Amino acid sequence: MKRLIGALAFIIMLSSCSSDLDSALADCSAVSCASGNIIIQFLDTETGEDVFFNDTYSFDELVVTDVSNNADFPFFTGISDESQMAQVALNAFSESRSNVVLRITVPDGFETDLSFDVEFQEGECCNVNNYSDVQFSNVENVVQSQGGFFYNVYL
């Protein structure tokens, strides 16, 4: 009988310890997750100037379309007066997709197709988007930096 009570006490102790450990591991309040967004800065090939910061183009005219369903693709923009740069950030994905093509257009300005594959990984604290085969069409040059999420696109 003592063995049974001892074994039962041991099992209860182990299960209470594991639930404490599980709750400690699930506390993500101190974790800072990377955004998972593709961030693009569009630059003039000849001058190197940001074409949205210098008002060559306006964010109000910018359209991003998912070519697979011809629907608007969500994005947001940001401008830094200090750095003299304007950026377009494409929303992160919540599922894996292959052969994604997003058409980025400024009417009477430029059009480029951004194509890539994205692998979505759900994490305990942070979800991750892994991008591969990233390519831009109809541009002069592309420089990738910051771990594959930031692209300088020269028009």
Side-chain angles (χ1 to χ4, degrees):
M1 186 63 142
K2 283 185 177 182
R3 285 186 193 176
L4 181 60
I5 293 173
L8 186 57
F10 183 72
I11 291 172
I12 292 171
M13 186 174 66
L14 280 178
S15 66
S16 69
C17 288
S18 69
S19 66
D20 290 343
L21 180 60
D22 291 343
S23 65
L25 289 175
D27 179 16
C28 298
S29 62
V31 176
S32 177
C33 298
S35 69
N37 307 84
I38 290 180
I39 301 171
I40 309 166
Q41 182 181 15
F42 291 97
L43 304 164
D44 183 289
T45 299
E46 293 177 17
T47 66
E49 291 182 333
D50 185 301
V51 296
F52 286 101
F53 186 82
N54 71 8
D55 293 327
T56 300
Y57 303 118
S58 168
F59 281 142
D60 294 335
E61 299 173 337
L62 184 68
V63 177
V64 180
T65 305
D66 187 334
V67 173
S68 70
N69 58 12
N70 205 32
D72 288 344
F73 188 85
F75 67 94
F76 54 97
T77 59
I79 295 177
S80 170
D81 290 327
E82 185 177 309
S83 303
Q84 296 189 347
M85 64 189 317
Q87 298 174 334
V88 177
L90 305 174
N91 276 15
F93 287 79
S94 58
E95 64 184 7
S96 295
R97 286 181 55 189
S98 296
N99 303 314
V100 177
V101 179
L102 301 178
R103 183 158 294 137
I104 303 170
T105 307
V106 172
D108 300 321
F110 69 88
E111 179 177 289
T112 181
D113 284 350
L114 165 60
S115 60
F116 55 88
D117 296 330
V118 59
E119 178 188 3
F120 174 77
Q121 296 176 335
E122 189 170 347
E124 190 169 332
C125 291
C126 301
N127 295 331
V128 177
N129 282 184
N130 291 319
Y131 298 96
S132 59
D133 299 323
V134 178
Q135 297 178 25
F136 291 84
S137 67
N138 303 321
V139 299
E140 293 295 321
N141 191 24
V142 176
V143 177
Q144 177 184 358
S145 60
Q146 295 183 3
F149 291 112
F150 190 89
Y151 294 87
N152 289 321
V153 176
Y154 292 85
L155 304 172

